[in-house]
Amino acid sequence: MTVTRPAVRPFRPEDAGAVTAIRRAAEPYLVTTVEALLWKVASSPASQRLRLLVAEAPGGTLLGCADTGLVAGSARRGEGFLHAAVPPDHRGRGVGAALVTAGEARLAEIGAVRAHAWVRDEPRARAFAERRGYARRRAARFLGLDLVRAALPPLPAPLPPGVTLRTAADFGEDLRPLYEADLECSADEPGGAGAGAMPYEDWLRLNWRRPDFDPALTSVALSGDEVAAYSVAQTDGRERYWSGMTGTRRAFRGRGLARLAKLDSLLRARAAGFRHAFTGNDATNAPMLAVNRGFGYTPAAGQWRCVKVLSG
């Protein structure tokens, strides 16, 4: 029997619903919305050179998708990303191979020398990546929490001396204190692809102006007037909540403030009616994995960050 390889073409806005469904089926532990997808396509900084690709069957059905571009804020030149997603019922039909081939060609066109890709921690997916020259570098763990049933503790009363809790919404239009904290924490985050100093406007566009970002659920722990720790919240506006970056600035570490900020965010999310919480951590990030286990998170999936050298 002859298997026809799907055609790969650039994403079009009318594909947004189908691509969102593909992402949800392939990665159900992530929060994915049509609005966030269209925002990403329209608002990514020019330096990222973002392009989405879709794999299309002869009849027009979309079978998979991929994001390609350059890593924003990377301290190293030529760091590209290639994130392909194929739902379980379309795997084993050449969809992933077609997307990866087209994605690598596109990365070469824009000057990428390495491709960073996330690969499911499953034997078939690992073998697929290895056959195509991708070497495993770091493992990530995705965790889920039933917010309705979770036995979350109350906030401590009183809070630690000098500490107050706020939300990102309390900062109004001036998010520079959060920007400075995020740059510092992201530079120390395990598993980054060469973190660099991202310009403030790019940081706003990529992280804090996205439609799934929820400033009222993003908690910030202040020590005096300084941002000490924070936990970013993204939601689908219905029932799913995702913990983005949770971090503590270097001067305030060892005091449990990241846990405090994340607990505050989770309690706010539950009070707002969200039912399912998800998060992800580098497998070596023992402190945050311990915090999440303490809240009752359980394993949902695993991935590997893999890297392929495209050119010298």
Side-chain angles (χ1 to χ4, degrees), residues 145 151-160 163-165 185 217 219-221 228-232 241 243 245-249 252-268 281 285-297:
L145 177 69
L152 294 173
L155 291 171
L159 295 175
V163 172
T164 56
L165 287 170
C185 295
L217 301 184
S219 294
V220 183
Y230 62 97
S231 186
V232 178
Y241 158 102
S243 291
M245 179 69 177
T246 296
T248 306
R249 300 196 75 166
F252 302 101
R253 291 174 187 168
R255 297 167 52 184
L257 298 183
R259 180 186 182 279
L260 178 65
K262 185 156 190 176
L263 173 60
D264 184 56
S265 182
L266 287 169
L267 292 172
R268 290 177 186 272
N281 299 112
N285 193 348
M288 278 311 304
L289 286 168
V291 166
N292 290 325
R293 283 194 297 267
F295 288 142
Y297 280 89

Side-chain angles (χ1 to χ4, degrees), residues 34-301:
V34 170
E35 296 79 10
L37 176 67
L38 290 172
W39 163 85
K40 179 170 72 172
V41 172
S43 303
S44 63
S47 61
Q48 195 176 42
R49 305 289 298 276
L50 176 70
R51 178 181 293 172
L52 273 60
L53 305 173
V54 297
E56 188 175 46
T61 301
L62 298 191
L63 307 174
C65 60
D67 298 355
T68 66
L70 300 175
V71 178
S74 175
R76 296 181 296 185
R77 186 177 178 182
E79 299 299 313
F81 59 86
L82 171 53
H83 179 196
V86 180
D89 56 350
H90 294 318
R91 292 171 189 161
R93 299 165 54 184
V95 179
L99 287 165
V100 170
T101 299
E104 289 177 356
R106 200 267 160 163
L107 289 182
E109 288 174 2
I110 61 176
V113 298
R114 282 170 295 276
H116 294 259
W118 284 108
V119 176
R120 298 187 318 279
D121 189 14
E122 301 170 2
R124 187 172 177 176
R126 294 195 303 266
F128 174 92
E130 289 168 2
R131 287 196 302 271
R132 285 157 181 79
Y134 286 82
R136 278 180 276 168
R137 290 292 184 262
R138 305 190 73 95
R141 299 289 178 258
F142 292 89
L143 309 170
L145 177 69
D146 183 336
L147 272 176
V148 177
R149 297 181 175 84
L152 294 173
L155 291 171
L159 295 175
V163 172
T164 56
L165 287 170
R166 296 287 185 268
T167 71
D170 295 325
F171 287 76
E173 294 299 315
D174 182 14
L175 296 180
R176 285 189 180 273
L178 294 174
Y179 165 71
E180 293 167 1
D182 197 46
L183 285 191
E184 182 178 308
C185 295
S186 296
D188 295 342
E189 184 182 19
M198 184 183 298
Y200 178 61
E201 286 300 323
D202 284 353
W203 174 86
L204 281 175
R205 189 181 301 114
L206 283 172
N207 301 291
W208 300 70
R209 285 182 177 157
R210 50 188 298 153
D212 55 358
F213 168 65
D214 194 321
L217 301 184
T218 295
S219 294
V220 183
L222 299 178
S223 180
D225 294 328
E226 292 187 75
V227 173
Y230 62 97
S231 186
V232 178
Q234 295 166 218
T235 76
D236 65 358
R238 296 181 292 276
E239 64 174 15
R240 290 187 166 225
Y241 158 102
W242 168 264
S243 291
M245 179 69 177
T246 296
T248 306
R249 300 196 75 166
R250 296 172 191 129
F252 302 101
R253 291 174 187 168
R255 297 167 52 184
L257 298 183
R259 180 186 182 279
L260 178 65
K262 185 156 190 176
L263 173 60
D264 184 56
S265 182
L266 287 169
L267 292 172
R268 290 177 186 272
R270 181 159 67 183
F274 291 93
R275 301 175 60 85
H276 306 289
F278 295 93
T279 192
N281 299 112
D282 187 89
T284 65
N285 193 348
M288 278 311 304
L289 286 168
V291 166
N292 290 325
R293 283 194 297 267
F295 288 142
Y297 280 89
T298 57

